[in-house]
Amino acid sequence: MTETLQEIKREYEGEDNRPLASYTRVLAVYGGAVTALLAAAKLTGRRPPEKIKVMDLMLMGLFTHRLSRTLAKDPVTSPIRAPFTRYEGLSGPAELKEKVRGHGLQHAVGELLTCPFCLSQWVATGYAAGTVFFPRVTRLAGATMAAVAISDWLQLAYARLMKAAE
């Protein structure tokens, strides 16, 4: 079995060194968290909503977008990423460019923490769990981050209009 897994790893990586075993650990943490949330919901009698309304889906999407970018790119959240990354400069308005460092689990976690697309799965899962356990607080957090996301887009649009007017 070990030889088969090593062969799969070699075939997958080619010339690159990818931390597949560490990715498996990260996936196991995600799966364990989801399993724990499902068990907690069952034990406490919590049930998911019967239907997800379009406005709730929009709120969840905006929340997920904004919090994922905040965690992955914001200067203020760089202490969370610092054990896994190296600062390289700015990548956009109020966003940092960081290079993932290390090997194995350090590298895999660094890739997760610097990728808003990757983080969105975790953030959306947390939001969904919040709607089961703390629906009012979760919707308030969703509205807050949605307002920030909309404000960001308006700031960028304003800056573009000002530049075009010059």
Side-chain angles (χ1 to χ4, degrees):
M1 179 72 164
T2 303
E3 284 183 32
T4 302
L5 293 175
Q6 288 300 325
E7 178 61 27
I8 290 170
K9 184 178 185 312
R10 278 191 300 276
E11 289 291 324
Y12 175 77
E13 289 179 346
E15 298 295 318
D16 295 318
N17 184 14
R18 304 300 300 152
L20 289 180
S22 297
Y23 292 152
T24 302
R25 288 183 191 101
V26 171
L27 286 170
V29 168
Y30 178 81
V34 169
T35 301
L37 288 167
L38 291 171
K42 183 146 181 89
L43 288 171
T44 60
R46 302 284 184 155
R47 299 180 55 94
E50 289 291 322
K51 286 176 70 172
I52 306 286
K53 297 176 185 166
V54 172
M55 287 307 291
D56 288 326
L57 182 60
M58 296 297 293
L59 191 63
M60 185 178 193
L62 287 168
F63 174 90
T64 299
H65 163 77
R66 185 61 256 161
L67 187 56
S68 296
R69 289 208 75 78
T70 297
L71 292 172
K73 300 290 184 184
D74 198 282
V76 175
T77 58
S78 61
I80 297 168
R81 299 183 306 274
F84 311 97
T85 62
R86 179 170 292 110
Y87 174 80
E88 290 198 329
L90 300 176
S91 66
E95 291 192 346
L96 300 182
K97 179 180 181 187
E98 296 166 322
K99 182 177 181 180
V100 175
R101 60 187 173 94
H103 302 283
L105 192 57
Q106 180 187 26
H107 189 88
V109 172
E111 284 188 356
L112 174 65
L113 292 177
T114 58
C115 174
F117 298 96
C118 306
L119 278 173
S120 65
Q121 177 71 37
W122 294 68
V123 171
T125 299
Y127 189 93
T131 63
V132 172
F133 292 101
F134 310 103
R136 291 177 66 189
V137 172
T138 300
R139 290 185 92 194
L140 180 60
T144 301
M145 293 308 277
V148 173
I150 293 166
S151 176
D152 288 350
W153 297 333
L154 290 172
Q155 297 289 356
L156 293 170
Y158 180 83
R160 178 172 251 169
L161 288 171
M162 292 301 292
K163 190 172 184 172
E166 291 176 353

